Amino acid sequence: MGKKLLMKGNEALAEAAIRAGVKGYFGYPITPQSELLEYMATNLDSRGGVFVQAESEVAAINMVYGASGTGVRVMTSTSSPGFSLMQEGISYMACAELPCLLVNVVRGGPGLGTIQPSQGDYFQAVKGGGHGDYKLIVLAPNSVQEMADFVYLGFDLTDKYRNPVLILTDGALGQMMESVEFPEYNPEEHLVDHSSWTTVGRENGREQHYITSLHLLSEKMEEINIHLQDKYKTIQKNETRFESIMTEDADILIVAFGLSSRSSQKALELAREQGLKVGILRPITLFPFPSDELKRLANSVKGILVVEMNAGQMVEDVRLSVGSNIPVDFYGRMGGMIPQPDEIVQKIKDLSKQVKI
Amino acid sequence: METTREGIVCNNLDQMDVVFDRTEVLHDTPTSYCPGCSHSVVHRLIMEVIDELGILENTIGVAPVGCSVFAYHFMNVDMQQAAHGRATAVATGIKRVLPDKIVFSYQGDGDLAAIGTAETIHTINRGENIVMIFINNGIYGMTGGQMAPTTLEGDVTSTTPHGRDVHIQGHAIKITEMIAIMDGAYYVTRQAVNSAKTVRKCKKAIKQAFQYQIDGKGGTSYVEVVSNCPSGWKMTPIEANKKIDEEVLGYYPLGDLKTPPKGA
Amino acid sequence: MNEELIVAGFGGQGVLSMGMTLAYAGMVEDKYVAWIPSYGPEMRGGTANCTVIVSDTNVSSPIISSYDTAIVLNQPSLEKFEPKVKPGGILIYESNNVLNPPTRKDIDIYAIPAAIEAAKLGNKKTMNMIILGAFLAKRPLVSVKSIMEGLSKVLPERNHHLLPVNKKALKHGMELIK
Ligand SMILES: Cc1ncc(C[n+]2csc(CCOP(=O)(O)OP(=O)(O)O)c2C)c(N)n1
Ligand code: SF4
Ligand SMILES: [Mg+2]
């Protein structure tokens, strides 16, 4: 570990990406992720990569596509409206199995919405987002430290599985400052040899490589789909990550990711002070989703409260995981509002009454 | 009796001069283009140029969405297939991380001058040192003959059944003229492949464009090829090539629109 | 020790940099810190605020509903955050910018005429450091040395000649509140 620095989440993420050996960053300004773009503009060229300000998010993701096809580490970042614009390109990359790191610093929608933090893009992130059957690996940091840590993890995963990885964060995590330490990380030790498929010219007269997502024969296209689905199953098996906080003796289980898991943690402290046995399950990977752990916990807790900064999106995956044997309640704020710890405590009390604790 | 590589039977092959041979840089496979389609001709010209310049081992091409979406099945170079309109963004991504490689994009008029206009303009505005090949056939060939941004006034297509009315559907876009005034453009030329003479000139222009990229003089080299689409135009290839001479070139005249400054 | 505070005022009063300086100072002393701003259009001419947490243990949440201390530099912020101070907590306000003073009885309230005092020091921009000094006199979370180290990070290099006058302001604030 290096020394502690006080940084904004967006900047920590950018710095980590440079340390992780990113060779190409392509982006377009949008609040609240612009610090990330600006950090890259200031630092990347002098530290071994290239920065390009694209003319749109559409162009940016397609630049990422092109650069990724040469086998180097590439990334882009944006916020909600821009991420919508990128969907076609992301779907192409998922099908062509091109590695890349994507960052969505989510703001409140729909529409132009607000620049305040939100988790309203959960469905878009974990259910595909663009057209066709595909999945991104989705990492949800909840601190500035994790904004940095998940960049390394993200690059390693995207290289390993040749699947785009998305860091789903929000405006508050992007803008807030906490101390962060950058781990020792030598990209050379992590790089995967992609030379069997990259398009860099037919060196030494080797056979042609090409990158495509077009397979007009349905049999072939189905085969590709089966391959992708198998890959997603492997990812589910190997890469599901979560954090459990005081779940052992919990009566009420809060499920929350990202920033709302931080509010929930405060709520947990307040509730425990009042004698309520609350625990938290925080999904770190939103895809793959920690369904098995949830199922397991559903056997010991009496009620589940899902806390999100949206109208209730992840709660659907929670309900799918635990079935109807246990009450699953939801508390959410929208449009850039953040669930406050005291509001969550109130919900915990309501739920406790309902399940007769 | 001997057989040529193409399988043609010949009595006295060794006594004949080879006047034409397929470059190795083209895949040994029939293209999927309609008979007489300009796409096939331009494919061949690009591959011959790559062969002659000896840059096969470091060239990467970008295919569009359009009839030439499978360009990589015919052009035997490393290639990426881009989303509709985004070929030059993809090419930018490649060239920026591999500045020493030779990168070209290949696009139709719908791809380059409608859905991808922003990418086209901004790639050239940044002066990306790549070669852009633009197949202007005045129609959406792949999707079955709809109006393209370059469809001439009065021309009937499946979406302009009464002929293109410029007051309703706008004018045939002169995107190459727009590009020529941009500072990032290094070499801008309009060519055709509807006769032996224009084919020869077109090849020279393509070769020049690649040479400029190799020299790394800075700026984008751009070759428009006024092309036919016999199927979309509902004509025989001969009629289509004649239409180019009689109608299209009046609106889209051939020649260099921008050449590098002398001594550059 | 776990101090959760809100700093609020108009954009341009040095609200965000005051909070950031305190956060840096906390980090210098190896404490857990978080700084979270309100940002965007709100920052332009309107109100600006930031939450700062300085703690001996990991910061569970940067999002909090009530505060140990509120530092408010204008009337709207006072009205917004007076009710959110925890009973027994501290409210410090800049008295030149507040017409209707706070009324709560269950918290410690301090009025600091920092704007006038800063003008007396010859640099109106040091107003925020006077207030910070006053706060630190009541809650000595970090040392003056650490604050100065933090400030040298927050102030751009070209303004480092202003460090001494800021230090003076900080100390002056500590005196004022006594
Ligand atoms: C986003 C998107 N919109 C529409 C299409 C359908 N589409 C495929 S090719 C094409 C037009 C191609 O025309 P052009 O670029 O002129 O190429 P040509 O076939 O004439 O060579 C369209 C609209 C698509 N593939 N993707
Ligand atoms: S439809 Fe037109 S452009 Fe497409 S292959 Fe046939 S002739 Fe060529
Ligand atoms: Mg066309």
Side-chain angles (χ1 to χ4, degrees):
Chain A
M1 283 280 172
K3 79 183 209 304
K4 263 196 197 174
L5 300 166
L6 189 65
M7 286 180 107
K8 285 192 173 185
N10 283 336
E11 293 169 347
L13 198 156
E15 174 62 27
I18 296 174
R19 289 171 187 243
V22 70
K23 289 282 175 273
Y25 172 95
F26 308 89
Y28 188 81
I30 184 169
T31 310
Q33 68 85 46
S34 291
E35 295 85 2
L36 214 169
L37 172 96
E38 288 158 0
Y39 196 94
M40 288 298 187
T42 311
N43 296 290
L44 187 53
D45 287 346
S46 59
R47 292 170 64 186
V50 288
F51 164 85
V52 180
Q53 177 170 337
E55 61 272 26
S56 68
E57 289 85 352
V58 177
I61 190 68
N62 286 286
M63 290 175 185
V64 167
Y65 180 103
S68 170
T70 71
V72 298
R73 287 190 157 177
V74 292
M75 70 176 291
T76 184
S77 63
T78 182
S79 178
S80 307
F83 199 60
S84 291
L85 273 183
M86 290 183 179
Q87 293 306 323
E88 184 196 28
I90 295 170
S91 169
Y92 272 60
M93 295 190 79
C95 184
E97 303 198 80
L98 291 176
C100 67
L101 185 68
L102 310 167
V103 180
N104 182 358
V105 185
V106 181
R107 57 191 247 178
L112 193 51
T114 162
I115 57 174
Q116 304 300 331
S118 164
Q119 297 177 331
D121 299 356
Y122 174 91
F123 279 150
Q124 184 191 43
V126 306
K127 308 285 176 185
H131 58 287
D133 278 317
Y134 72 90
K135 297 278 188 193
L136 306 176
I137 299 171
V138 184
L139 304 173
N142 82 346
S143 64
V144 172
Q145 182 64 52
E146 286 189 351
M147 290 283 271
D149 292 346
F150 290 2
V151 170
Y152 305 99
L153 175 63
F155 273 123
D156 289 349
L157 291 175
T158 197
D159 276 339
K160 179 171 177 194
Y161 292 102
R162 285 185 62 186
N163 200 73
V165 169
L166 168 65
I167 295 184
L168 188 77
T169 178
D170 67 67
L173 283 165
Q175 303 284 332
M176 73 189 226
M177 292 176 104
E178 287 181 314
S179 60
V180 53
E181 282 174 77
F182 295 96
E184 293 293 335
Y185 182 94
N186 178 2
E188 298 301 324
E189 290 164 14
H190 291 254
L191 293 183
V192 171
D193 180 11
H194 291 310
S195 63
S196 64
W197 59 269
T198 49
T199 54
V200 293
R202 292 177 50 198
E203 288 165 338
N204 306 316
R206 66 141 165 77
E207 64 174 30
Q208 176 197 31
H209 292 168
Y210 60 81
I211 290 162
T212 188
S213 62
L214 175 69
H215 309 280
L216 288 180
L217 275 180
S218 299
E219 289 83 357
K220 175 73 183 163
M221 196 64 225
E222 187 178 49
E223 216 175 89
I224 302 244
N225 267 282
I226 290 169
H227 163 70
L228 289 178
Q229 294 303 321
D230 286 347
K231 178 167 85 173
Y232 303 146
K233 277 192 202 110
T234 309
I235 292 170
Q236 249 161 332
K237 204 167 97 220
N238 298 342
E239 308 299 346
T240 306
R241 288 170 168 80
F242 55 84
E243 180 190 14
S244 305
I245 303 169
M246 305 183 94
T247 50
E248 305 79 29
D249 67 338
D251 291 325
I252 301 289
L253 180 72
I254 296 178
V255 186
F257 71 96
L259 187 68
S260 49
S261 72
R262 297 287 293 273
S263 301
S264 300
Q265 229 168 295
K266 186 80 189 174
L268 174 146
E269 287 166 14
L270 297 172
R272 288 247 168 199
E273 277 167 23
Q274 299 173 34
L276 291 161
K277 288 189 191 153
V278 178
I280 296 180
L281 179 74
R282 170 170 78 100
I284 289 173
T285 49
L286 301 181
F287 179 83
F289 191 70
S291 295
D292 291 343
E293 178 64 9
L294 256 172
K295 234 175 274 171
R296 198 182 67 78
L297 288 171
N299 293 324
S300 61
V301 302
K302 301 198 173 83
I304 294 179
L305 173 64
V306 181
V307 180
E308 298 179 72
M309 285 146 61
N310 57 41
Q313 300 190 18
M314 183 178 68
V315 64
E316 291 192 6
D317 288 331
V318 173
R319 288 194 174 118
L320 277 175
S321 304
V322 302
S324 53
N325 303 333
I326 178 168
V328 176
D329 206 350
F330 171 74
Y331 183 66
R333 297 293 304 267
M334 292 166 285
M337 301 298 290
I338 303 172
Q340 298 293 312
D342 53 353
E343 299 164 2
I344 301 170
V345 171
Q346 190 52 50
K347 279 303 264 194
I348 295 169
K349 286 183 184 160
D350 295 348
L351 181 60
S352 301
K353 252 185 234 137
Q354 189 196 325
V355 298
K356 304 201 174 56
I357 295 170
Chain B
M1 202 109 93
E2 292 176 64
T3 314
T4 65
R5 204 173 54 214
E6 274 71 27
I8 300 163
V9 180
C10 187
N11 289 328
N12 47 352
L13 190 62
D14 49 349
Q15 291 157 31
M16 296 177 90
D17 288 339
V18 178
V19 293
F20 175 79
D21 200 3
R22 181 181 52 77
T23 164
E24 298 279 351
V25 188
L26 274 170
H27 277 289
D28 189 3
T29 176
T31 71
S32 53
Y33 299 112
C34 307
C37 173
S38 302
H39 274 304
S40 324
V41 182
V42 182
H43 276 34
R44 174 168 62 78
L45 298 185
I46 300 170
M47 293 306 104
E48 286 176 359
V49 163
I50 287 171
D51 199 357
E52 288 164 23
L53 291 174
I55 53 173
L56 170 65
E57 295 196 4
N58 49 3
T59 296
I60 304 132
V62 182
V65 176
C67 279
S68 47
V69 68
F70 281 128
Y72 48 84
H73 285 331
F74 317 127
M75 305 186 189
N76 196 1
V77 295
D78 272 12
M79 289 195 85
Q80 296 194 20
Q81 196 281 308
H84 193 23
R86 320 301 167 205
T88 61
V90 171
T92 298
I94 301 170
K95 186 72 180 182
R96 287 293 180 115
V97 295
L98 299 177
D100 298 332
K101 304 275 173 166
I102 303 303
V103 179
F104 74 93
S105 59
Y106 183 102
Q107 296 174 274
D109 36 35
D111 203 81
L112 180 142
I115 195 169
T117 309
E119 282 78 3
T120 299
I121 297 290
H122 286 279
T123 299
I124 296 165
N125 193 47
R126 289 188 301 267
E128 298 294 343
N129 184 21
I130 61 170
V131 171
M132 291 173 63
I133 307 284
F134 171 35
I135 305 300
N136 176 7
N137 59 10
I139 202 145
Y140 282 14
M142 188 192 209
T143 41
Q146 297 83 6
M147 181 187 73
T150 46
T151 299
L152 296 185
E153 179 173 6
D155 276 3
V156 172
T157 70
S158 66
T159 51
T160 53
H162 308 297
R164 183 175 194 157
D165 179 343
V166 297
H167 300 295
I168 298 172
Q169 286 108 4
H171 302 266
I173 197 167
K174 291 186 170 164
I175 190 134
T176 303
E177 278 77 358
M178 291 161 61
I179 285 164
I181 63 167
M182 296 181 68
D183 291 338
Y186 190 67
Y187 173 52
V188 180
T189 185
R190 182 183 285 125
Q191 303 291 330
V193 288
N194 64 334
S195 69
K197 195 168 142 220
T198 49
V199 168
R200 270 197 300 277
K201 275 191 148 175
C202 183
K203 179 170 169 185
K204 240 176 106 186
I206 292 172
K207 196 164 184 175
Q208 183 61 262
F210 274 92
Q211 190 60 54
Y212 284 138
Q213 181 178 175
I214 294 165
D215 295 345
K217 285 280 167 57
T220 309
S221 296
Y222 171 101
V223 183
E224 170 179 346
V225 185
V226 175
S227 300
N228 64 22
C229 171
S231 299
W233 295 359
K234 304 194 177 13
M235 291 176 180
T236 66
I238 290 173
E239 285 166 355
N241 284 343
K242 218 166 127 203
K243 176 183 160 92
I244 290 180
D245 278 333
E246 290 172 358
E247 296 172 36
V248 186
L249 296 186
Y251 192 80
Y252 289 124
L254 299 184
D256 293 343
L257 286 86
K258 184 172 187 182
T259 50
K262 287 261 174 315
Chain C
M1 185 267 294
N2 178 49
E3 179 79 12
E4 302 176 337
L5 78 152
I6 179 93
V7 189
F10 289 124
Q13 282 183 315
V15 166
L16 300 183
S17 55
M18 186 204 305
M20 208 184 277
T21 302
L22 182 59
Y24 264 116
M27 195 191 65
V28 167
E29 298 191 5
D30 244 351
K31 296 182 163 54
Y32 292 89
V33 296
W35 172 92
I36 181 165
S38 70
Y39 55 89
E42 267 194 59
M43 262 170 75
R44 302 194 183 102
T47 59
N49 69 64
C50 60
T51 302
V52 182
I53 301 175
V54 183
S55 176
D56 289 331
T57 54
N58 212 350
V59 176
S60 58
S61 172
I63 309 299
I64 42 187
S65 327
S66 55
Y67 306 92
D68 299 311
T69 300
I71 296 177
V72 294
L73 307 185
N74 64 11
Q75 190 73 44
S77 302
L78 175 71
E79 278 155 25
K80 188 162 174 196
F81 293 111
E82 184 185 351
K84 296 197 172 170
V85 180
K86 292 177 196 165
I90 296 180
L91 173 70
I92 297 176
Y93 68 101
E94 204 295 307
S95 50
N96 303 124
N97 282 293
V98 166
L99 277 177
N100 307 317
T103 53
R104 272 177 68 176
K105 298 280 177 285
D106 60 340
I107 55 177
D108 292 333
I109 295 175
Y110 303 94
I112 308 288
I116 286 180
E117 294 298 323
K120 281 192 210 158
L121 281 178
N123 189 328
K124 289 182 192 165
K125 293 233 154 177
T126 59
M127 188 257 270
N128 60 351
M129 284 300 122
I130 294 178
I131 295 273
L132 184 57
F135 166 69
L136 286 173
K138 289 291 147 198
R139 280 265 201 284
L141 303 177
V142 289
S143 69
V144 171
K145 185 166 166 284
S146 303
I147 287 284
M148 292 315 292
E149 208 175 318
L151 190 60
S152 70
K153 296 244 169 62
V154 175
L155 272 186
E157 202 89 35
R158 68 190 136 82
N159 288 339
H160 275 193
H161 63 281
L162 297 173
L163 286 172
V165 65
N166 274 288
K167 188 169 182 180
K168 220 161 124 190
L170 194 71
K171 295 227 157 134
H172 189 53
M174 292 176 147
E175 292 303 318
L176 276 177
I177 204 163
K178 279 183 184 160

